[in-house]
Amino acid sequence: MKIFTTWAVAAAISAVTLPAFAQDTKTIRVGSWLPPHHLIVSGILQPWATAIEEETGGSLKFEIMTSPLGPPPAQFDLLLDQAFDVGYGVSGHNAGRFTMTQVMDLPFMSPDPWAGSAASWLTYQKFGAEYGEHEGAHVVGLFTHSNPNINMAKGRVERLDDLKDKTIRVGGNVTGRMMSELGASPVQLPPTEAQTAMSRGVADGITFPSESIDFFGITPVISSITRIPGGLYTDTFWVAFNQDSWDGLTDDERAAVEKHSGMAIALLAGFAWTNGDIVGEKKLNEKGVEFIVLPEEDVAAAREKLKPLEAEWIAQADEKGYDGQQILTYARDMVENYRADKEVNAVK
């Protein structure tokens, strides 16, 4: 267990000399592979950590690391190896490892980061204990990013056919498969290499939310952006404690973490990605980037072409002994409950 203990000595009361009181403070190291100003760190992890610190009256102190100990795909193994107490990562960075948890990565599952994040957590909370995909860790949160667009440096994607023979940078295994099914050639690269890749013609475009285009400095090479109504795909992020570190907390400390985790992390993600996209799109509009909306008939065609991914996921779930259709239906029901564009207080 990698929790480190420091001692805070209480001040003397009034002018009377009394024995010093000590408070046991546990420092929780949080592994991070993103810069401190990225919205996942500043908009999700930091508020989460601060809320828990306040809830525990200082018995827990979170230290978010500013230098990565390894690349993004290594984060879960680093967590298991106790390189840090808490970690986070993208489920799709480890192909085949978190298949069941990645239900929200399937095509057109997440219409917005509020619905996607809430549904990812609630579905995992209901079924995840059966999966065993995070053995050695204690998952405290799942969330998704906002709707991605097809961001092009070369060419324009007005219709689905325009993707044919285009090389598109993707971030995860499921997204890569989607691009292949839609006629593009996917290439998996770190986001930090995306601008260079597009500048040199290695990639024609990239699938990314507007926030990420701005954050990773890709805006200068983007000429057009195609929106796909309904949300073509999303990535599922996990936040977890090393199991030994979790077991080393007191009951009260675990209760404080749980109070500010789960759906609270999902809400933080909804805020962070929504606001991040507003900033990113402002920068893109200032540059004069053209925004295109994929026509409704092409969206329908994309849904049809990508149906095999859903069928394959259900088959994989069934092979593992789970009711894949039940899990998928529940996830979709949760999306409908939490989607941001849901009409309320409206007379039909």
Side-chain angles (χ1 to χ4, degrees):
M1 182 171 66
K2 296 289 186 177
I3 296 178
F4 298 90
T5 303
T6 58
W7 293 90
V9 181
I13 300 175
S14 302
V16 181
T17 302
L18 295 175
F21 293 92
Q23 180 184 7
D24 189 3
T25 301
K26 296 171 184 172
T27 299
I28 308 295
R29 294 196 305 174
V30 182
S32 182
W33 44 275
L34 287 167
H37 58 292
H38 189 277
L39 70 78
I40 289 179
V41 181
S42 64
I44 302 174
L45 293 177
Q46 191 60 66
W48 169 75
T50 299
I52 296 168
E53 288 174 352
E54 293 176 355
E55 190 75 27
T56 61
S59 77
L60 292 183
K61 175 70 176 176
F62 288 80
E63 177 189 303
I64 300 178
M65 301 170 72
T66 56
S67 298
L69 296 182
Q75 296 305 301
F76 192 72
D77 285 325
L78 287 168
L79 178 68
L80 296 186
D81 290 342
Q82 298 183 311
F84 34 73
D85 300 300
V86 173
Y88 67 94
V90 182
S91 299
H93 283 171
N94 303 106
R97 190 170 192 174
F98 305 111
T99 302
M100 300 304 300
T101 307
Q102 287 181 262
V103 62
M104 296 306 300
D105 291 22
L106 292 172
F108 296 101
M109 283 294 290
S110 177
D112 61 72
W114 304 93
S117 296
S120 66
W121 171 251
L122 291 170
T123 304
Y124 184 82
Q125 190 177 46
K126 185 174 178 65
F127 300 103
E130 304 173 18
Y131 303 160
E133 293 181 333
H134 299 84
E135 188 174 350
H138 181 84
V139 177
V140 295
L142 295 176
F143 62 90
T144 64
H145 57 62
S146 54
N147 278 8
N149 303 309
I150 299 176
N151 310 273
M152 300 297 293
K154 289 184 179 179
R156 301 164 78 253
V157 177
E158 294 185 38
R159 304 299 301 261
L160 209 53
D161 286 345
D162 295 333
L163 275 173
K164 289 181 180 177
D165 301 322
K166 296 290 191 303
T167 301
I168 306 295
R169 182 270 174 191
V170 298
N173 60 317
V174 178
T175 314
R177 173 72 187 284
M178 289 184 193
M179 286 296 105
S180 294
E181 293 291 333
L182 295 178
S185 299
V187 56
Q188 195 160 342
L189 295 168
T192 50
E193 297 178 17
Q195 189 198 64
T196 301
M198 286 188 282
S199 297
R200 295 178 178 176
V202 175
D204 300 306
I206 181 173
T207 55
F208 242 174
S210 293
E211 175 279 333
S212 301
I213 293 294
D214 175 56
F215 182 84
F216 288 105
I218 304 171
T219 300
V221 300
I222 299 301
S223 61
S224 69
I225 293 176
T226 302
R227 302 185 194 273
I228 303 179
L232 177 63
Y233 78 91
T234 191
D235 289 316
T236 302
F237 295 76
W238 53 266
V239 182
F241 275 75
N242 171 278
Q243 188 65 54
D244 284 347
S245 298
W246 177 257
D247 292 341
L249 303 181
T250 66
D251 290 345
D252 286 344
E253 288 165 348
R254 284 194 289 268
V257 173
E258 289 173 341
K259 178 177 179 178
H260 295 284
S261 298
M263 283 295 282
I265 288 177
L267 287 174
L268 286 171
F271 279 115
W273 287 107
T274 298
N275 293 336
D277 277 352
I278 291 171
V279 173
E281 291 201 5
K282 180 181 178 183
K283 301 284 183 64
L284 289 161
N285 283 322
E286 287 173 354
K287 184 182 177 289
V289 172
E290 179 186 16
F291 280 85
I292 301 164
V293 178
L294 195 68
E296 186 176 328
E297 59 268 30
D298 284 67
V299 174
R303 287 179 180 272
E304 192 64 31
K305 288 188 179 213
L306 296 176
K307 276 186 178 179
L309 277 76
E310 182 177 306
E312 289 171 16
W313 185 89
I314 292 174
Q316 287 176 316
D318 292 345
E319 286 174 13
K320 294 174 184 287
Y322 312 126
D323 187 335
Q325 187 60 62
Q326 180 189 20
I327 296 169
L328 187 60
T329 299
Y330 182 82
R332 286 202 168 115
D333 287 346
M334 294 304 100
V335 165
E336 290 307 309
N337 283 350
Y338 291 93
R339 58 187 301 146
D341 62 357
K342 186 176 181 179
E343 292 185 11
V344 294
N345 291 338
V347 178
K348 297 294 186 180

